[in-house]
Amino acid sequence: MSPVLAIHGGAGTMARASMTPQDEAAFHVGLRASLRAGHAVLARGGPALDAVTAAVMAMEDDPQFNAGRGAVYTSAGRQEMDAAVMNGADRAAGAVAGILGPRNPVLAARAVMQHSEHVLLIGEGALAFLREQNLTWEEPGYFHTAHRWQALQTELERRRLAAADTRDDAAKHGTVGAVACDAAGHLAAATSTGGMTGKLPGRVGDCPVFGAGTWADDATCAVSGTGHGEYFIRWAAAHEIASRMRYRGESLAVAADAVVADLLAAGGSGGLIGVDAAGNVALPFNCGGMYRGRIGADGVAWTAIYREELVAG
Amino acid sequence: MSPVLAIHGGAGTMARASMTPQDEAAFHVGLRASLRAGHAVLARGGPALDAVTAAVMAMEDDPQFNAGRGAVYTSAGRQEMDAAVMNGADRAAGAVAGILGPRNPVLAARAVMQHSEHVLLIGEGALAFLREQNLTWEEPGYFHTAHRWQALQTELERRRLAAADTRDDAAKHGTVGAVACDAAGHLAAATSTGGMTGKLPGRVGDCPVFGAGTWADDATCAVSGTGHGEYFIRWAAAHEIASRMRYRGESLAVAADAVVADLLAAGGSGGLIGVDAAGNVALPFNCGGMYRGRIGADGVAWTAIYREELVAG
């Protein structure tokens, strides 16, 4: 079995005109760094769960992406992060929602999975549990970025003026995620997000809702979604792909395309990444673009932003 | 189309010896009151969504059940409630998690569905949103019951002594829920819970995780689960039933039995209620009993606790 890893860093309309070549190049660099962090795990024979964790950590540490450092702000000017991990071999799962503190929310989700009896912990209760875990914590200042703060001010001003919402969907509700198939044929998925700019405090999207934005089952696929999370929840997007594969005999590609088309028909923009136990990868999206990439056994990192083909970098 | 409604009030080992005839009779009375509240809506041609809301409200108001008044306590001695509603016609959905204040958490979930852009709101952020809604609030004392408080003390003492956990599962993680098919053939589901006695603060189970403990889609079924929520999440229990019906052509009864058996094989005790658009009802469980009931167009309330047949009351 040849291991493979795929990632996303958010999806949306992403008008090409609004990004400079320097912006684009920086995103490719960030995506490649994530791919290589995950690949390093797989190349030494490590498990898919560790690979997706490493790939997501790299994007959480990179302030370009809406997760960990660089997370967006709620309407109250705070950051509330959600993260989830799921292991396909035993369906072990862990998630956190509405937290600020741990440097890497994906490690907080893993702590819930591995060191609690529970699957989902939220808010202050989650933080109390996480303080007993061996995690690196950061002050709020670490997570702050000027561009996310400015995005909130712009959004609050737009609301004050009741002006039309012309924001890029990817900026509105970015997410990062990774899926992997390791050398043993085991699958895993991880997702992490700051949510939506100007979201209501307490709003939780599809990321920690297993079956919606995150799913992994060796029998079918591992999936991580990005987009308008409410639609991913109402369509049980990730589990719907698994069900189509399992009960309808569809390939990962056919099932993933069908679900992304269903989401679009319902009004839900976004995309997702998926991998099956044969190492097939799907990266469909129904909007202008999706920060995305894949890396196989040869260690060549392939990345893309808009509708163009992946490029090796 | 002949409307129908089914309810549950928790599932578990429920050793018959531990309940007096008076206890049993009181549960039957509580279940019938819930069934009649939901039936009153359906009988006047009301929508399934209103019927399941009314049925769940009746159980939230009844301190016998672990939802609303009479909710269990966390290990910190507080009450944290979760609730969810989903409408099968348009997959509209709303849920709250980790709240204490609104008299009827199911109405809080409906407010999220109908008056926010979001599907899931948690904790303090949820409460801030809910304060702007037209809901009845109660002081913490309203929700308090001596028997739940005593159950927490017993559980904390058990942990202090590191003694075996011999509690009834139904007492540990009760939940209430309702599913309905109205005269127009539309489906809806609602679930509400206080969670598990002695749960970690911030723990959220399957109730507000759509596709796990709550689901409704007119094309397949409406489902509400009760039991060890972590397993319902990891098996996407409710959406798995819908998928088996949709893609495998299974009947509601066959699909629901299969999922409840899968949960048992994995170690997850519990049960669920389901209804399809033809008005078929399933009430399977894999443990000693499930407080449950159903009511059809004739208004006769059928209820049961253990493995016995439903009795008209």
Side-chain angles (χ1 to χ4, degrees):
Chain A
M1 173 66 62
S2 182
V4 65
L5 176 123
I7 60 168
H8 68 72
T13 44
M14 302 206 288
R16 214 157 181 159
S18 68
M19 274 221 277
T20 67
Q22 290 77 12
D23 291 337
E24 291 180 6
F27 272 113
H28 282 282
V29 168
L31 291 168
R32 278 183 220 125
S34 166
L35 287 169
R36 286 175 183 142
H39 176 259
V41 175
L42 295 174
R44 64 170 182 260
L49 183 64
D50 289 351
V52 296
T53 303
V56 166
M57 285 176 69
M59 288 186 282
E60 287 177 338
D61 293 343
D62 182 339
Q64 294 183 103
F65 299 105
N66 176 18
R69 185 175 214 173
V72 300
Y73 291 90
T74 69
S75 60
R78 302 187 51 152
Q79 290 164 306
E80 297 180 351
M81 304 176 194
D82 311 327
V85 292
M86 189 163 179
N87 190 45
D90 57 2
R91 299 194 188 209
V96 289
I99 67 161
L100 174 64
R103 181 188 183 109
N104 291 105
V106 71
L107 292 181
R110 275 196 70 158
V112 172
M113 181 179 106
Q114 296 178 309
H115 303 300
S116 86
E117 294 181 343
H118 302 309
V119 163
L120 173 56
L121 296 180
I122 64 174
E124 284 303 317
L127 291 171
F129 165 78
L130 295 169
R131 282 189 198 99
E132 306 293 312
Q133 307 301 312
N134 189 23
L135 297 172
T136 302
W137 289 63
E138 300 289 353
E139 295 298 317
Y142 165 83
F143 299 101
H144 175 82
T145 54
H147 72 291
R148 298 297 189 193
W149 185 255
Q150 185 52 51
L152 174 64
Q153 306 316 313
T154 303
E155 169 60 7
L156 295 178
E157 177 69 3
R158 182 192 71 76
R159 292 181 190 177
R160 203 180 60 76
L161 300 172
D165 189 353
T166 58
R167 289 177 294 164
D168 185 328
D169 298 336
K172 257 161 71 178
H173 41 68
T175 302
V176 310
V179 294
C181 174
D182 62 28
H186 294 306
L187 307 182
T191 313
S192 181
T193 186
M196 301 165 68
T197 294
K199 70 182 177 185
L200 216 53
R203 177 265 185 184
V204 176
D206 59 320
C207 160
V209 176
F210 292 97
T214 307
W215 188 254
D217 178 3
D218 282 2
T220 50
C221 58
V223 171
S224 172
T226 176
H228 198 148
E230 279 74 7
Y231 288 91
F232 282 69
I233 295 174
R234 291 165 56 202
W235 266 257
H239 190 259
E240 177 72 12
I241 293 171
S243 295
R244 283 172 166 268
M245 293 174 67
R246 185 166 189 175
Y247 297 128
R248 241 187 162 189
E250 292 181 359
S251 68
L252 171 67
V254 167
D257 282 348
V259 168
V260 165
D262 283 353
L263 289 169
L264 182 64
S269 76
L272 56 86
I273 55 174
V275 63
D276 67 21
N280 296 302
V281 168
L283 308 164
F285 53 97
N286 63 27
C287 41
M290 178 168 76
Y291 303 107
R292 63 198 185 278
R294 59 177 293 168
I295 192 164
D298 62 6
V300 179
W302 296 84
T303 55
I305 299 180
Y306 313 105
R307 295 214 155 264
E308 79 280 13
E309 295 294 308
L310 299 171
V311 294
Chain B
M1 173 66 63
S2 182
V4 63
L5 175 122
I7 61 168
H8 67 72
T13 45
M14 302 207 288
R16 214 157 181 159
S18 69
M19 274 221 276
T20 66
Q22 290 76 13
D23 291 337
E24 292 179 8
F27 271 113
H28 281 283
V29 168
L31 291 168
R32 278 183 220 126
S34 166
L35 287 169
R36 286 176 183 142
H39 176 260
V41 174
L42 295 174
R44 63 169 181 260
L49 183 66
D50 289 351
V52 297
T53 304
V56 166
M57 285 175 68
M59 288 186 281
E60 287 177 338
D61 292 344
D62 181 341
Q64 294 183 104
F65 299 105
N66 176 19
R69 185 174 214 173
V72 300
Y73 291 90
T74 69
S75 60
R78 302 187 51 152
Q79 290 164 304
E80 297 180 351
M81 304 175 194
D82 310 328
V85 291
M86 189 163 180
N87 190 45
D90 56 2
R91 297 192 188 212
V96 290
I99 67 162
L100 174 65
R103 180 187 185 111
N104 290 106
V106 70
L107 292 181
R110 276 197 69 160
V112 172
M113 180 178 105
Q114 296 178 309
H115 303 300
S116 85
E117 294 181 343
H118 302 310
V119 163
L120 173 56
L121 296 180
I122 65 175
E124 284 303 318
L127 291 171
F129 165 78
L130 294 168
R131 281 189 199 99
E132 306 293 312
Q133 308 300 314
N134 188 23
L135 297 173
T136 302
W137 290 63
E138 299 288 352
E139 294 299 317
Y142 165 83
F143 299 102
H144 174 82
T145 55
H147 72 290
R148 299 296 190 194
W149 185 255
Q150 185 52 48
L152 174 64
Q153 305 316 314
T154 303
E155 169 61 8
L156 294 179
E157 177 68 5
R158 182 193 70 77
R159 292 181 190 177
R160 202 180 60 76
L161 300 172
D165 190 352
T166 58
R167 288 177 295 163
D168 184 330
D169 298 336
K172 257 161 73 178
H173 40 69
T175 301
V176 310
V179 294
C181 174
D182 63 27
H186 295 307
L187 308 182
T191 312
S192 181
T193 186
M196 301 165 67
T197 295
K199 70 182 177 183
L200 217 53
R203 177 266 186 182
V204 176
D206 59 320
C207 159
V209 176
F210 291 98
T214 308
W215 188 254
D217 178 3
D218 282 0
T220 50
C221 57
V223 171
S224 173
T226 176
H228 198 149
E230 279 73 7
Y231 289 90
F232 281 68
I233 294 174
R234 292 165 56 202
W235 266 257
H239 189 259
E240 177 72 11
I241 294 171
S243 295
R244 284 173 166 267
M245 292 174 65
R246 186 167 187 173
Y247 296 128
R248 243 188 159 187
E250 291 181 359
S251 67
L252 171 67
V254 167
D257 282 348
V259 168
V260 165
D262 283 353
L263 289 169
L264 182 65
S269 76
L272 56 85
I273 55 174
V275 63
D276 67 20
N280 296 301
V281 168
L283 309 165
F285 53 96
N286 63 28
C287 41
M290 179 169 75
Y291 302 107
R292 63 198 185 279
R294 60 177 292 169
I295 193 164
D298 62 6
V300 178
W302 295 84
T303 56
I305 298 180
Y306 313 105
R307 294 215 156 265
E308 80 280 13
E309 295 294 309
L310 299 171
V311 293

Short mmCIF file of all heavy atoms in Angstrom, two decimals, chain A residues 43-87:
data_model
loop_
_atom_site.label_atom_id
_atom_site.label_comp_id
_atom_site.label_asym_id
_atom_site.label_seq_id
_atom_site.Cartn_x
_atom_site.Cartn_y
_atom_site.Cartn_z
N ALA A 43 5.96 8.61 5.61
CA ALA A 43 7.17 8.06 5.00
C ALA A 43 7.96 7.19 5.98
O ALA A 43 8.67 6.27 5.57
CB ALA A 43 8.06 9.21 4.49
N ARG A 44 7.81 7.48 7.26
CA ARG A 44 8.51 6.63 8.24
C ARG A 44 7.60 5.51 8.74
O ARG A 44 7.88 4.87 9.77
CB ARG A 44 9.04 7.48 9.40
CG ARG A 44 7.99 8.17 10.25
CD ARG A 44 8.62 8.78 11.52
NE ARG A 44 7.61 9.41 12.35
CZ ARG A 44 7.37 10.71 12.39
NH1 ARG A 44 8.07 11.56 11.66
NH2 ARG A 44 6.42 11.19 13.17
N GLY A 45 6.51 5.28 8.03
CA GLY A 45 5.61 4.19 8.39
C GLY A 45 4.63 4.53 9.48
O GLY A 45 3.98 3.65 10.04
N GLY A 46 4.49 5.82 9.78
CA GLY A 46 3.58 6.25 10.84
C GLY A 46 2.13 6.11 10.45
O GLY A 46 1.80 5.96 9.27
N PRO A 47 1.23 6.16 11.46
CA PRO A 47 -0.20 5.99 11.20
C PRO A 47 -0.86 7.22 10.59
O PRO A 47 -0.41 8.35 10.81
CB PRO A 47 -0.78 5.70 12.59
CG PRO A 47 0.19 6.31 13.54
CD PRO A 47 1.55 6.28 12.90
N ALA A 48 -1.93 6.96 9.85
CA ALA A 48 -2.70 8.04 9.21
C ALA A 48 -3.12 9.09 10.23
O ALA A 48 -3.10 10.29 9.94
CB ALA A 48 -3.92 7.46 8.50
N LEU A 49 -3.49 8.65 11.44
CA LEU A 49 -3.94 9.59 12.47
C LEU A 49 -2.86 10.61 12.79
O LEU A 49 -3.13 11.81 12.94
CB LEU A 49 -4.35 8.82 13.73
CG LEU A 49 -4.91 9.65 14.88
CD1 LEU A 49 -6.23 10.31 14.49
CD2 LEU A 49 -5.10 8.80 16.13
N ASP A 50 -1.61 10.15 12.92
CA ASP A 50 -0.51 11.09 13.21
C ASP A 50 -0.23 11.99 12.00
O ASP A 50 0.17 13.15 12.17
CB ASP A 50 0.76 10.31 13.58
CG ASP A 50 0.65 9.65 14.94
OD1 ASP A 50 -0.32 9.92 15.67
OD2 ASP A 50 1.55 8.84 15.26
N ALA A 51 -0.40 11.45 10.80
CA ALA A 51 -0.13 12.25 9.61
C ALA A 51 -1.12 13.40 9.47
O ALA A 51 -0.73 14.54 9.19
CB ALA A 51 -0.16 11.35 8.37
N VAL A 52 -2.41 13.11 9.64
CA VAL A 52 -3.39 14.20 9.51
C VAL A 52 -3.22 15.21 10.64
O VAL A 52 -3.42 16.42 10.44
CB VAL A 52 -4.85 13.68 9.45
CG1 VAL A 52 -5.05 12.82 8.19
CG2 VAL A 52 -5.26 12.92 10.71
N THR A 53 -2.84 14.75 11.82
CA THR A 53 -2.60 15.67 12.93
C THR A 53 -1.45 16.61 12.60
O THR A 53 -1.56 17.83 12.80
CB THR A 53 -2.29 14.87 14.22
OG1 THR A 53 -3.36 13.97 14.50
CG2 THR A 53 -2.09 15.80 15.40
N ALA A 54 -0.35 16.05 12.08
CA ALA A 54 0.81 16.88 11.74
C ALA A 54 0.48 17.88 10.63
O ALA A 54 0.90 19.04 10.68
CB ALA A 54 1.98 15.98 11.32
N ALA A 55 -0.27 17.44 9.64
CA ALA A 55 -0.62 18.33 8.53
C ALA A 55 -1.50 19.48 9.00
O ALA A 55 -1.31 20.63 8.59
CB ALA A 55 -1.32 17.53 7.43
N VAL A 56 -2.46 19.18 9.87
CA VAL A 56 -3.35 20.22 10.38
C VAL A 56 -2.60 21.16 11.32
O VAL A 56 -2.79 22.38 11.28
CB VAL A 56 -4.59 19.60 11.06
CG1 VAL A 56 -5.34 20.64 11.90
CG2 VAL A 56 -5.51 19.00 10.00
N MET A 57 -1.71 20.62 12.15
CA MET A 57 -0.91 21.48 13.03
C MET A 57 -0.13 22.52 12.23
O MET A 57 -0.03 23.69 12.63
CB MET A 57 0.07 20.64 13.85
CG MET A 57 -0.57 19.85 14.98
SD MET A 57 0.63 18.78 15.83
CE MET A 57 1.68 20.02 16.64
N ALA A 58 0.43 22.11 11.09
CA ALA A 58 1.21 23.05 10.27
C ALA A 58 0.34 24.21 9.82
O ALA A 58 0.79 25.37 9.81
CB ALA A 58 1.82 22.32 9.08
N MET A 59 -0.91 23.92 9.45
CA MET A 59 -1.80 25.01 9.01
C MET A 59 -2.33 25.82 10.19
O MET A 59 -2.56 27.02 10.07
CB MET A 59 -2.93 24.44 8.15
CG MET A 59 -2.44 24.00 6.77
SD MET A 59 -3.76 23.48 5.62
CE MET A 59 -4.08 21.82 6.26
N GLU A 60 -2.51 25.18 11.35
CA GLU A 60 -2.91 25.94 12.55
C GLU A 60 -1.81 26.93 12.95
O GLU A 60 -2.10 28.03 13.45
CB GLU A 60 -3.18 24.98 13.72
CG GLU A 60 -4.48 24.20 13.59
CD GLU A 60 -4.70 23.20 14.72
OE1 GLU A 60 -3.71 22.79 15.38
OE2 GLU A 60 -5.85 22.81 14.94
N ASP A 61 -0.55 26.54 12.73
CA ASP A 61 0.56 27.42 13.11
C ASP A 61 0.79 28.54 12.10
O ASP A 61 1.51 29.50 12.39
CB ASP A 61 1.85 26.60 13.24
CG ASP A 61 1.81 25.62 14.41
OD1 ASP A 61 0.95 25.80 15.30
OD2 ASP A 61 2.64 24.69 14.43
N ASP A 62 0.20 28.41 10.91
CA ASP A 62 0.40 29.37 9.82
C ASP A 62 -0.75 30.37 9.83
O ASP A 62 -1.90 30.00 9.59
CB ASP A 62 0.42 28.59 8.49
CG ASP A 62 0.68 29.48 7.30
OD1 ASP A 62 0.45 30.71 7.39
OD2 ASP A 62 1.09 28.95 6.25
N PRO A 63 -0.47 31.66 10.11
CA PRO A 63 -1.57 32.63 10.27
C PRO A 63 -2.35 32.91 8.98
O PRO A 63 -3.38 33.58 9.04
CB PRO A 63 -0.86 33.89 10.77
CG PRO A 63 0.57 33.71 10.44
CD PRO A 63 0.85 32.24 10.41
N GLN A 64 -1.91 32.39 7.85
CA GLN A 64 -2.71 32.54 6.63
C GLN A 64 -4.03 31.80 6.70
O GLN A 64 -4.98 32.15 6.00
CB GLN A 64 -1.95 31.97 5.42
CG GLN A 64 -0.69 32.69 5.05
CD GLN A 64 -0.08 32.08 3.79
OE1 GLN A 64 -0.20 32.62 2.72
NE2 GLN A 64 0.57 30.93 3.95
N PHE A 65 -4.05 30.72 7.48
CA PHE A 65 -5.24 29.86 7.49
C PHE A 65 -6.10 30.13 8.72
O PHE A 65 -5.59 30.47 9.79
CB PHE A 65 -4.81 28.38 7.47
CG PHE A 65 -4.03 28.02 6.23
CD1 PHE A 65 -2.64 27.83 6.29
CD2 PHE A 65 -4.67 27.88 5.01
CE1 PHE A 65 -1.92 27.49 5.16
CE2 PHE A 65 -3.96 27.56 3.87
CZ PHE A 65 -2.57 27.36 3.93
N ASN A 66 -7.40 29.93 8.55
CA ASN A 66 -8.39 30.22 9.59
C ASN A 66 -8.51 29.03 10.56
O ASN A 66 -9.51 28.31 10.59
CB ASN A 66 -9.74 30.54 8.94
CG ASN A 66 -10.84 30.75 9.97
OD1 ASN A 66 -10.56 31.00 11.15
ND2 ASN A 66 -12.07 30.64 9.52
N ALA A 67 -7.47 28.86 11.36
CA ALA A 67 -7.44 27.80 12.37
C ALA A 67 -6.23 28.07 13.25
O ALA A 67 -5.19 28.50 12.76
CB ALA A 67 -7.32 26.42 11.74
N GLY A 68 -6.36 27.84 14.57
CA GLY A 68 -5.25 28.13 15.47
C GLY A 68 -4.85 29.60 15.31
O GLY A 68 -5.69 30.49 15.32
N ARG A 69 -3.52 29.84 15.18
CA ARG A 69 -3.02 31.20 14.96
C ARG A 69 -3.62 31.74 13.65
O ARG A 69 -3.51 31.09 12.60
CB ARG A 69 -1.51 31.13 14.83
CG ARG A 69 -0.86 32.49 14.73
CD ARG A 69 0.66 32.36 14.74
NE ARG A 69 1.25 33.50 15.41
CZ ARG A 69 2.53 33.64 15.70
NH1 ARG A 69 3.38 32.67 15.39
NH2 ARG A 69 2.97 34.71 16.31
N GLY A 70 -4.26 32.91 13.73
CA GLY A 70 -4.89 33.46 12.54
C GLY A 70 -6.37 33.12 12.42
O GLY A 70 -6.99 33.38 11.39
N ALA A 71 -6.93 32.54 13.47
CA ALA A 71 -8.38 32.25 13.45
C ALA A 71 -9.16 33.56 13.36
O ALA A 71 -8.71 34.60 13.83
CB ALA A 71 -8.77 31.48 14.71
N VAL A 72 -10.34 33.49 12.78
CA VAL A 72 -11.19 34.67 12.63
C VAL A 72 -11.83 35.03 13.97
O VAL A 72 -11.77 34.27 14.93
CB VAL A 72 -12.29 34.45 11.57
CG1 VAL A 72 -11.68 34.14 10.22
CG2 VAL A 72 -13.26 33.36 12.01
N TYR A 73 -12.47 36.22 13.99
CA TYR A 73 -13.10 36.73 15.21
C TYR A 73 -14.62 36.62 15.16
O TYR A 73 -15.22 36.80 14.10
CB TYR A 73 -12.70 38.20 15.43
CG TYR A 73 -11.23 38.33 15.78
CD1 TYR A 73 -10.27 38.49 14.79
CD2 TYR A 73 -10.83 38.27 17.10
CE1 TYR A 73 -8.93 38.57 15.11
CE2 TYR A 73 -9.48 38.36 17.44
CZ TYR A 73 -8.54 38.51 16.44
OH TYR A 73 -7.21 38.58 16.76
N THR A 74 -15.21 36.37 16.32
CA THR A 74 -16.68 36.41 16.45
C THR A 74 -17.14 37.86 16.42
O THR A 74 -16.33 38.78 16.50
CB THR A 74 -17.14 35.80 17.79
OG1 THR A 74 -16.72 36.67 18.86
CG2 THR A 74 -16.56 34.41 18.00
N SER A 75 -18.46 38.05 16.38
CA SER A 75 -19.01 39.41 16.41
C SER A 75 -18.64 40.13 17.70
O SER A 75 -18.65 41.36 17.75
CB SER A 75 -20.53 39.35 16.25
OG SER A 75 -21.11 38.60 17.30
N ALA A 76 -18.27 39.37 18.75
CA ALA A 76 -17.87 39.97 20.01
C ALA A 76 -16.36 40.24 20.06
O ALA A 76 -15.84 40.65 21.10
CB ALA A 76 -18.27 39.07 21.18
N GLY A 77 -15.65 39.98 18.94
CA GLY A 77 -14.23 40.27 18.89
C GLY A 77 -13.36 39.25 19.60
O GLY A 77 -12.24 39.54 20.01
N ARG A 78 -13.87 38.04 19.73
CA ARG A 78 -13.09 36.96 20.34
C ARG A 78 -12.85 35.85 19.32
O ARG A 78 -13.45 35.81 18.26
CB ARG A 78 -13.81 36.41 21.56
CG ARG A 78 -14.09 37.51 22.59
CD ARG A 78 -14.64 36.92 23.86
NE ARG A 78 -13.79 35.83 24.33
CZ ARG A 78 -13.68 35.47 25.60
NH1 ARG A 78 -14.31 36.13 26.53
NH2 ARG A 78 -12.90 34.46 25.94
N GLN A 79 -11.95 34.95 19.68
CA GLN A 79 -11.70 33.79 18.83
C GLN A 79 -12.24 32.54 19.53
O GLN A 79 -11.98 32.33 20.71
CB GLN A 79 -10.20 33.65 18.54
CG GLN A 79 -9.67 34.75 17.61
CD GLN A 79 -8.17 34.84 17.63
OE1 GLN A 79 -7.57 34.98 18.70
NE2 GLN A 79 -7.55 34.78 16.46
N GLU A 80 -13.01 31.75 18.82
CA GLU A 80 -13.57 30.50 19.34
C GLU A 80 -13.27 29.41 18.32
O GLU A 80 -13.75 29.49 17.19
CB GLU A 80 -15.08 30.63 19.54
CG GLU A 80 -15.47 31.69 20.57
CD GLU A 80 -16.97 31.80 20.78
OE1 GLU A 80 -17.73 31.19 20.00
OE2 GLU A 80 -17.38 32.51 21.71
N MET A 81 -12.49 28.45 18.71
CA MET A 81 -12.00 27.45 17.76
C MET A 81 -12.65 26.09 17.97
O MET A 81 -12.96 25.70 19.09
CB MET A 81 -10.48 27.33 17.91
CG MET A 81 -9.80 28.67 17.72
SD MET A 81 -8.02 28.60 18.01
CE MET A 81 -7.67 30.36 18.12
N ASP A 82 -12.82 25.38 16.86
CA ASP A 82 -13.35 24.02 16.86
C ASP A 82 -12.35 23.11 16.16
O ASP A 82 -11.70 23.54 15.21
CB ASP A 82 -14.67 23.94 16.09
CG ASP A 82 -15.69 25.01 16.47
OD1 ASP A 82 -15.70 25.40 17.66
OD2 ASP A 82 -16.45 25.44 15.59
N ALA A 83 -12.25 21.87 16.59
CA ALA A 83 -11.37 20.91 15.92
C ALA A 83 -11.89 19.50 16.17
O ALA A 83 -12.58 19.25 17.17
CB ALA A 83 -9.93 21.03 16.41
N ALA A 84 -11.55 18.61 15.24
CA ALA A 84 -12.02 17.22 15.34
C ALA A 84 -11.02 16.28 14.69
O ALA A 84 -10.35 16.64 13.72
CB ALA A 84 -13.37 17.07 14.63
N VAL A 85 -10.90 15.09 15.25
CA VAL A 85 -10.11 14.02 14.63
C VAL A 85 -10.92 12.73 14.69
O VAL A 85 -11.69 12.50 15.63
CB VAL A 85 -8.75 13.78 15.33
CG1 VAL A 85 -7.82 14.95 15.14
CG2 VAL A 85 -8.93 13.47 16.81
N MET A 86 -10.72 11.87 13.68
CA MET A 86 -11.38 10.56 13.70
C MET A 86 -10.45 9.54 13.06
O MET A 86 -9.78 9.83 12.07
CB MET A 86 -12.72 10.61 12.98
CG MET A 86 -13.55 9.33 13.16
SD MET A 86 -15.31 9.58 12.73
CE MET A 86 -15.95 7.92 13.03
N ASN A 87 -10.40 8.36 13.67
CA ASN A 87 -9.51 7.29 13.25
C ASN A 87 -10.33 6.18 12.59
O ASN A 87 -11.22 5.63 13.22
CB ASN A 87 -8.77 6.76 14.49
CG ASN A 87 -7.66 5.81 14.14
OD1 ASN A 87 -6.88 6.09 13.22
ND2 ASN A 87 -7.57 4.71 14.85
#
